[in-house]
């Protein structure tokens, strides 16, 4: 009898709790299982998580709610509605922040410009535009392979070249640490907080990798800060000091404001990740798309020859690549279909109603899928799944600029990427330098898949044969 009563009580409790969840969750994205919530569907489709997210959002009209296991705080509103994105990033910017939970999950980023809110973010934002990042090194290395991006950004930001372009292509410890940290951050989004917190306390699984990666990153960056201080102190005259101001670290140290090592470490880490991984991701997917579309490749080569036939053997400079309109369109298409940062996260401060009609309570976590937005017919039309550079070119042969809250690869509103123009210059220089001399052929049977990371890199890289053009 006791067992029967216990079973009846448990069943009644489960029924009432499930009823309560369904009342709270008015726009469920997927099936809500007892106890486990909607997490099983996500884990089952983890191997294709971005396409799965796109499919369920389309079925729900662009927005819906996700609830994780019972008694956890895995509760998100997920959207790919461009009007919702415009509302959060532009019109009601002050009401949607990164928040303390974001900073906890993204701990390796510290309090840098990517994770900061309020006055901390404003301060970091104001000091960065004065730093001329990358122009010298971009010109110097623009004619080398796409792997130069890691070397380029380490040198631009930290004044350090890891020599990753050596003939034997050595594994760079700092690169491995960055990758493991980013994969761990992605993992924290897929499990309840109590799970990764326990793993962190026990130092097992992905959290052990995160701890070791953070130690490697901190040792490396703090060593660079210390050596840069010594270098600056050794400069005796004004000309030598001027020569030293080539990288961002030197520029920040040379400002009138006194920045402590923690501030320098956080901003250097943020800017290196923002530049290194995003451009690497963009170019990798770009080259893969070009190999799948030979007509696009032919038009890119024709544009380069038509504009620079007299200087075809030389390295194209910054002003020259700005004339490559079709290449610009092809890169925009790659960014639209495979945005380097595929998911953005915000937290509401006050109650609000989104343009889609969804009610947002204070502290609600909101995820918007940039990957899904690039595949929305409402934004890009019926041919949204096609790789079509022409959509970015006007009848007059000029670049067409889409609103930032629709073409969201560089963020939008006050937090729009400061390095957008520089990123396009770097990508166009590298892409033009490689494509005009080499032809890519993807290895038979290789099907690229996105890695489980906060940056949309290819899981096993792009396996391709590179042949010199005749």
């Amino acid at each position: 009898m006791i067992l029967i009563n216990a079973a009846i009580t448990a069943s009644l409790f489960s029924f009432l709790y499930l009823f309560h969840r369904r009342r709270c969750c008015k726009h469920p994205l997927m099936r809500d299982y007892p106890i486990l919530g909607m997490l099983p569907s996500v884990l089952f489709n983890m191997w294709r998580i971005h396409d799965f997210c796109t499919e369920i959002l389309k079925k729900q009209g662009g927005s819906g709610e996700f609830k994780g296991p019972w008694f956890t705080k895995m509760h998100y509103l997920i959207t790919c509605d461009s009007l919702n994105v415009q509302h959060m990033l532009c019109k009601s910017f002050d009401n949607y922040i990164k928040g303390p939970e974001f900073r906890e999950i993204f701990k390796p980023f510290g309090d840098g410009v990517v994770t900061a809110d309020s006055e901390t973010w404003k301060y970091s934002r104001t000091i960065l535009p004065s730093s001329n990042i990358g122009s010298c090194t971009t010109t110097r290395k623009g004619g080398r392979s796409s792997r130069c991006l890691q070397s380029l950004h380490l040198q631009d930001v930290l004044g350090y070249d890891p020599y990753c372009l050596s003939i034997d292509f050595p594994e760079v410890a700092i690169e491995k640490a960055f990758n493991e940290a980013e994969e761990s951050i992605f993992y924290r989004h897929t499990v309840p907080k109590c799970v990764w917190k326990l793993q962190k306390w026990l130092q097992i699984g992905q959290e052990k990798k995160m701890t070791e990666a953070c130690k490697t990153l901190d040792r490396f960056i703090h060593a660079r800060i210390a050596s840069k201080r010594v270098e600056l102190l050794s400069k005796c005259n004004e000309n030598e000091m001027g020569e030293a101001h080539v990288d961002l670290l030197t520029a920040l140290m040379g400002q009138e404001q006194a920045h402590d090592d923690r501030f320098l470490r956080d901003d250097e880490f943020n800017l290196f990740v923002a530049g290194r991984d995003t451009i690497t991701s963009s170019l990798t997917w770009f080259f893969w798309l070009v190999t799948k579309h030979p007509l696009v490749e032919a038009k890119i080569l024709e544009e380069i020859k038509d504009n620079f036939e007299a200087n075809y053997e030389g390295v194209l400079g910054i002003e020259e690549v700005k004339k490559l309109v079709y290449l610009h369109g092809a890169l925009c298409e790659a960014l639209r279909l495979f945005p380097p940062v595929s998911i953005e996260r915000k937290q509401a401060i006050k109650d609000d109603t989104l343009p889609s009609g969804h009610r947002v309570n204070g502290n609600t976590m909101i995820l918007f899928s940039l990957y899904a937005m690039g595949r929305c017919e409402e934004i890009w039309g019926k041919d949204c799944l096609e790789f079509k550079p022409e959509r970015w070119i006007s009848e007059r042969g000029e670049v067409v600029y889409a609103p930032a809250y629709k073409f969201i690869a560089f963020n939008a509103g006050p937090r729009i990427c400061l390095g957008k123009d520089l990123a396009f210059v770097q990508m166009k220089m590298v892409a033009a330098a490689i494509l005009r001399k080499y032809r890519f052929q993807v290895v038979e049977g290789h099907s690229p898949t996105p890695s489980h990371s906060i940056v949309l890199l290819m899981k096993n890289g792009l396996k391709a044969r590179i042949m010199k053009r005749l």
Side-chain angles (χ1 to χ4, degrees), residues 370-383:
L370 283 67
Y371 186 93
M373 288 180 69
R375 289 160 169 74
C376 279
E377 290 186 9
E378 293 79 7
I379 301 175
W380 303 105
K382 297 287 185 181
D383 59 354

Side-chain angles (χ1 to χ4, degrees), residues 2-25:
I2 295 175
L3 290 176
I4 293 174
N5 288 336
I8 293 172
T9 302
S11 299
L12 180 61
F13 176 77
S14 297
F15 171 78
L16 291 173
Y17 190 78
L18 186 60
F19 178 73
H20 170 71
R21 278 174 66 97
R22 288 181 175 174
R23 284 196 65 187
C24 295
C25 185

Side-chain angles (χ1 to χ4, degrees), residues 156-171:
D156 288 344
V157 177
L158 294 171
Y160 170 78
D161 191 335
Y163 299 103
C164 62
L165 294 176
S166 301
I167 195 67
D168 54 347
F169 285 97
E171 181 180 74

Side-chain angles (χ1 to χ4, degrees), residues 98-99 102-104 106-128 221 248 252 260-274 415 418:
K98 298 290 186 178
F102 182 97
R103 282 186 285 279
E104 186 177 20
F106 284 74
K107 186 179 178 181
F109 285 77
D111 292 322
V113 68
V114 171
T115 59
D117 284 315
S118 177
E119 296 305 315
T120 304
W121 169 77
K122 289 179 182 177
Y123 176 70
S124 293
R125 184 81 174 188
T126 54
I127 66 171
L128 294 179
I221 296 177
L248 180 63
L252 288 174
D260 59 23
D261 285 4
R262 180 181 175 183
F263 175 90
L264 294 171
R265 179 261 174 223
D266 289 349
D267 266 15
E268 299 312 305
F269 182 91
N270 279 246
L271 288 167
F272 176 66
V273 172
R415 293 191 86 125
L418 289 170

Side-chain angles (χ1 to χ4, degrees), residues 259-289:
H259 297 131
D260 59 23
D261 285 4
R262 180 181 175 183
F263 175 90
L264 294 171
R265 179 261 174 223
D266 289 349
D267 266 15
E268 299 312 305
F269 182 91
N270 279 246
L271 288 167
F272 176 66
V273 172
R276 170 253 191 189
D277 281 349
T278 53
I279 296 183
T280 300
S281 167
S282 304
L283 282 174
T284 304
W285 290 108
F286 165 79
F287 283 123
W288 177 70
L289 287 166

Side-chain angles (χ1 to χ4, degrees), residues 129-243:
S130 60
S131 304
N132 185 18
I133 315 169
S135 57
C136 298
T137 311
T138 303
T139 304
R140 189 166 61 249
K141 296 192 176 183
R144 301 171 76 176
S145 77
S146 62
R147 182 153 180 175
C148 77
L149 269 301
Q150 178 195 331
S151 175
L152 187 154
H153 284 288
L154 268 175
Q155 186 152 333
D156 288 344
V157 177
L158 294 171
Y160 170 78
D161 191 335
Y163 299 103
C164 62
L165 294 176
S166 301
I167 195 67
D168 54 347
F169 285 97
E171 181 180 74
V172 181
I174 191 66
E175 179 185 17
K176 182 180 178 182
F178 274 114
N179 290 339
E180 288 184 346
E182 290 167 357
E183 289 169 5
S184 298
I185 292 171
F186 181 87
Y187 172 77
R188 288 181 174 185
H189 281 85
T190 63
V191 297
K193 183 178 180 179
C194 59
V195 173
W196 67 261
K197 280 282 191 178
L198 179 62
Q199 288 185 329
K200 182 180 180 181
W201 183 65
L202 295 174
Q203 280 299 287
I204 59 174
Q206 197 66 44
E207 285 301 311
K208 182 179 180 181
K209 293 182 179 179
M210 168 74 99
T211 299
E212 293 173 351
C214 286
K215 288 179 180 177
T216 301
L217 293 169
D218 285 347
R219 281 196 301 267
F220 173 79
I221 296 177
H222 282 298
R224 291 306 310 156
I225 291 172
S227 64
K228 183 60 69 174
R229 289 193 189 281
V230 173
E231 177 188 339
L232 291 176
L233 287 172
S234 68
K235 300 298 180 182
C236 300
N237 57 58
E238 189 175 342
N239 291 334
E240 288 179 328
M241 286 299 292
E243 291 176 3

Side-chain angles (χ1 to χ4, degrees), residues 421-437:
D421 293 337
L422 178 61
F424 269 114
V425 168
Q426 291 179 339
M427 289 190 292
K428 288 163 83 170
M429 289 179 72
V430 173
I434 292 176
L435 285 178
R436 71 181 187 176
K437 292 184 179 179

